[in-house]
Amino acid sequence: MYTIDKIPTSKIQRATKLVQTGAKVGVNYVKYYSDKLTNSEVIARKRLHENNAEDIYDGLKKMKGSALKVAQMLSMDKTILPDAYVEKFSLSQFSVPPLSPALVIKTFKKYFNKYPNDLFDTFEATSVNAASIGQVHKAFKDGKKLAVKIQYPGVAESISSDLSMIKPIAVKMFNLKGKESDHYFQEVEGKLVEETNYLLELSQSREVAMRCRHIPNLQFPNYYEKYSSERIITMDWMQGKHLSEHAAQGSSSQEQNDLLGQTLWDFYMFQIHVLKKVHA
């Protein structure tokens, strides 16, 4: 049990953000009860979900780390959350405010005792994409274009405390059952601990690439152990488009869509039924 003067400042700040988010959700419920007086229950509840999803996501994306990762995981199961939450929380996969360049450089200094420009021919200190627990930077080395993923500082250390803070909210907001929620959050915590170990990710990614290279229409990057550590992982830069962006454009032919669907099916069915694990 912590007394208030022993809690690290970062935990106080994270708890404060959570309280502020809770206050906004409370206001949304007041609006909802008022809205029901002039509109149907369906319309009022739809607005409630949209407002709550917006405010909760805004709060979690400021916290980043495991709190935001839970939102990302929840968004992947469309049977748990209303559509408004799924749509908003799915942004945590690729659309989060980035770290400052100064913190990026500090992370390199900590794990390599070198600055990024000492390791790469060029390195862009401003990220090109940011998600729940890390962000991606563009770099070049010996003519190769590289993607360098850097984990946010303190993510691994805050997993347990973050989950203990957001579990009561998640259980109440999304009506998760007692024993089911305990099992869910235990599994989330275990997988998050694994996911913060980028050397483990490197070895697993290499294994999946090797075991699945026979499947048609798949491409895998090379991974570079020399430029990777527990919190930094370097791989080939691969130009692409997020699947949701592709679907939203609606400009591809049915033949292309069928090919995409078949390739994803072949990839995941091979992992599930042959490898007995899924690397996503």
Side-chain angles (χ1 to χ4, degrees):
M1 177 80 73
Y2 285 108
T3 57
I4 196 70
D5 60 325
K6 290 184 180 177
I7 300 176
T9 305
S10 60
K11 286 188 179 179
I12 293 176
Q13 291 171 337
R14 295 167 84 79
T16 300
K17 288 186 176 75
L18 213 55
V19 170
Q20 291 170 343
T21 301
K24 290 179 181 178
V25 169
V27 171
N28 291 338
Y29 273 97
V30 172
K31 292 178 181 176
Y32 160 68
Y33 292 122
S34 175
D35 201 7
K36 284 204 301 181
L37 298 175
T38 54
N39 291 290
S40 69
E41 166 70 19
V42 173
I43 292 174
R45 185 158 289 277
K46 182 174 182 291
R47 286 176 181 163
L48 172 67
H49 288 326
E50 288 172 350
N51 291 334
N52 280 347
E54 180 83 30
D55 289 334
I56 291 171
Y57 179 69
D58 283 348
L60 292 178
K61 74 181 181 183
K62 291 172 185 173
M63 292 175 68
K64 290 193 175 78
S66 44
L68 188 56
K69 190 68 182 179
V70 171
Q72 180 180 326
M73 288 177 164
L74 287 169
S75 75
M76 292 178 177
D77 188 340
K78 291 177 172 54
T79 63
I80 294 179
L81 303 181
D83 290 344
Y85 293 96
V86 172
E87 182 179 342
K88 186 59 68 172
F89 286 7
S90 64
L91 293 175
S92 59
Q93 299 173 34
F94 58 91
S95 181
V96 177
L99 276 181
S100 70
L103 275 173
V104 170
I105 292 169
K106 185 177 179 181
T107 302
F108 267 92
K109 191 69 175 169
K110 178 178 179 179
Y111 288 100
F112 290 104
N113 200 29
K114 291 182 178 180
Y115 295 110
N117 287 331
D118 295 331
L119 294 169
F120 305 105
D121 297 334
T122 62
F123 178 85
E124 295 185 8
T126 300
S127 70
V128 294
N129 227 327
S132 54
I133 67 170
Q135 61 187 42
V136 177
H137 294 254
K138 194 181 296 182
F140 283 88
K141 182 69 177 180
D142 299 330
K144 288 183 180 177
K145 190 177 182 181
L146 303 174
V148 184
K149 185 165 72 169
I150 301 170
Q151 192 174 126
Y152 304 129
V155 168
E157 293 78 15
S158 68
I159 288 172
S160 181
S161 60
D162 277 358
L163 291 182
S164 67
M165 281 195 294
I166 67 170
K167 181 182 175 182
I169 297 172
V171 168
K172 187 158 183 67
M173 286 275 318
F174 308 128
N175 199 28
L176 302 176
K177 306 301 180 185
K179 287 185 178 179
E180 292 175 8
S181 68
D182 288 342
H183 177 75
Y184 179 82
F185 278 94
Q186 285 171 4
E187 184 169 351
V188 167
E189 182 169 350
K191 292 302 175 186
L192 279 173
V193 170
E194 284 186 13
E195 195 166 342
T196 58
N197 183 347
Y198 280 179
L199 291 178
L200 177 63
E201 179 177 337
L202 186 148
S203 65
Q204 290 179 336
S205 299
R206 281 178 167 174
E207 181 190 355
V208 168
M210 181 193 65
R211 299 283 301 273
C212 297
R213 62 187 176 188
H214 66 285
I215 300 173
N217 305 309
L218 287 179
Q219 292 183 1
F220 297 96
N222 294 306
Y223 293 84
Y224 300 93
E225 194 168 356
K226 183 178 179 181
Y227 306 115
S228 301
S229 72
E230 296 95 328
R231 304 290 182 254
I232 298 172
I233 186 168
T234 300
M235 66 195 81
D236 289 336
W237 180 276
M238 300 188 73
Q239 197 65 37
K241 187 185 297 179
H242 194 277
L243 189 59
S244 63
E245 293 175 318
H246 171 80
Q249 288 178 350
S251 56
S252 57
S253 66
Q254 186 60 49
E255 185 180 6
Q256 287 176 312
N257 289 334
D258 289 345
L259 181 62
L260 270 175
Q262 186 65 55
T263 302
L264 286 169
W265 176 268
D266 293 343
F267 181 42
Y268 285 109
M269 289 302 101
F270 180 78
Q271 290 183 76
I272 292 169
H273 296 294
V274 179
L275 303 185
K276 307 295 184 185
K277 55 185 173 184
V278 175
H279 185 73

